[in-house]
Amino acid sequence: MRVVLTCLVFLSFLNFSYGQEKEETETKKDKKLKVVPYISYNRTYEFMFGAVPMLMYKVNKKDTISPESISGLMGIYTTNKTWFAIAFSKLYLMEDHWRITIGAGLGNANSQFLSGGTSSSFIDYQTGADFFKLEVQRKIGEDLYFGANYMYTKFNNEFDFDTPVNEEVRLNGLGLVFLRDKRDNVYYPTKGSELNLDYTGYLGFMGNDDESSKIELQYNHFFKAKRGKDVIAIRGYGGFGLGNVPFNNLLVVEGTDLRGYSMGEYRGKKLVALQGEYRYNFKGNMGVVGFAGLGSVYGSEVEANNGEILPSIGMGYRYTVFPKNKMNIGIDVAAGRDDWGIYFRIGEAF
């Protein structure tokens, strides 16, 4: 999530005084700290509920160019006894010359996956996970950023085979990221584009049992619709795992790319997806979205899933919790191939 702020210049003391009074009034109405209730459902985790307190703020109040930063906590529990807690921050610093993302969390997920072999079947598994991520980006030119990231994750997997299998997996990843950001607003873009290329290597010298790497390419484009306040958004995604990719690092069709898949059926070393979304805004703080997409996975242990065309279609509701930055929350309902899901959103899907 990102935002671009504009600084208004007034040519007389009267206009400046009016603008200052108006801004103070709007600030009182648009409280910076919000506690958002979380409720959702899918066929794997069942009912999910929790709370997400979020704070938007200026790191340096004299910096009129940087977008407002955001920090928050997320605590979720589900009726299949999955739980997790996450702390996160996205910081915009020094007139948007530096962008820093920090996240950490822990939890325990009860899920499933489709096994390969001659007779595919769903296998239940439990994963306890701890993670930490740090990403730092530096502006290197107009609309261009370059940076590095570090990701640590520890998984404790318990697979419910006929003979149960337990394993501990520790992953240390170092990566490089390139971003071209031409959006007019980082939290709710109405025009422009975003190109993100991310490489992460899980190399042997960092303590990884098997060497692997992941390359992700994301391109989002935004157009103003004829109504003026609506937006058409298009997204293309390609994820490519190389080397001995561990189970927990496989690409799974779910969530951001191809909503409507919640059973963990489609996972592999490669994932490609294309989707579009129409964002219709009512007068005030509410809106609705409609979306559709197609995608495929490759490098799956389930041979029949490789290259299968996976459709996605759905709609959602949006409510603006931070009007100044057009920061939305919402719920999406989506259907995929023989699957469906309900998704709670903080910000837009992309």
Side-chain angles (χ1 to χ4, degrees), residues 107-344:
N108 190 81
N110 297 302
S111 190
Q112 61 184 9
F113 71 98
L114 188 65
S115 67
T118 55
S119 57
S120 298
S121 60
F122 281 100
I123 304 297
D124 293 331
Y125 72 94
Q126 181 184 86
T127 296
D130 308 324
F131 81 91
F132 171 78
K133 180 175 182 177
L134 172 64
E135 181 172 290
V136 179
Q137 298 178 9
R138 175 69 164 91
K139 191 171 186 178
I140 59 173
E142 185 177 0
D143 304 321
L144 299 177
Y145 293 82
F146 181 77
N149 58 53
Y150 169 72
M151 181 79 177
Y152 165 80
T153 317
K154 183 182 76 172
F155 298 101
N156 290 301
N157 299 321
E158 298 179 14
F159 298 98
D160 191 18
F161 294 111
D162 292 336
T163 300
V165 175
N166 299 330
E167 66 174 8
E168 181 180 284
V169 180
R170 293 176 184 265
L171 297 174
N172 288 278
L174 277 178
L176 298 174
V177 59
F178 171 81
L179 171 68
R180 191 196 70 180
D181 190 354
K182 300 179 74 68
R183 296 170 296 171
D184 63 337
N185 184 308
V186 295
Y187 287 101
Y188 192 85
T190 62
K191 62 180 180 179
S193 63
E194 176 190 21
L195 174 66
N196 195 314
L197 177 61
D198 193 335
Y199 166 84
T200 304
Y202 300 88
L203 305 178
F205 77 89
M206 300 180 65
N208 298 292
D209 292 333
D210 295 304
E211 291 199 357
S212 65
S213 58
K214 182 185 292 185
I215 299 173
E216 294 182 278
L217 176 63
Q218 306 170 55
Y219 180 75
N220 304 323
H221 206 111
F222 307 91
F223 308 87
K224 282 188 176 180
K226 289 185 177 180
R227 276 177 20 103
K229 59 182 179 179
D230 298 341
V231 179
I232 298 172
I234 298 174
R235 174 179 173 83
Y237 172 84
F240 309 92
L242 306 173
N244 296 318
V245 182
F247 171 82
N248 299 101
N249 250 13
L250 291 172
L251 294 152
V252 186
V253 177
E254 60 182 357
T256 299
D257 291 289
L258 296 190
R259 285 158 281 182
Y261 293 88
S262 62
M263 300 288 286
E265 181 175 357
Y266 299 96
R267 69 179 69 216
K269 286 188 174 183
K270 301 176 181 64
L271 167 63
V272 293
L274 178 66
Q275 60 179 315
E277 185 168 294
Y278 191 96
R279 300 169 181 172
Y280 184 97
N281 295 294
F282 297 107
K283 184 177 181 180
N285 293 337
M286 293 189 294
V288 294
V289 301
F291 52 87
L294 295 170
S296 293
V297 293
Y298 300 88
S300 173
E301 290 186 357
V302 182
E303 290 294 334
N305 287 350
N306 287 312
E308 184 174 1
I309 302 299
L310 304 174
S312 168
I313 190 168
M315 62 183 301
Y317 167 80
R318 297 290 182 269
Y319 181 80
T320 306
V321 289
F322 292 104
K324 181 180 178 182
N325 299 314
K326 194 66 171 70
M327 172 76 173
N328 291 335
I329 62 170
I331 292 180
D332 293 340
V333 180
R337 183 185 296 276
D338 301 320
D339 201 353
W340 61 277
I342 300 175
Y343 303 85
F344 178 86

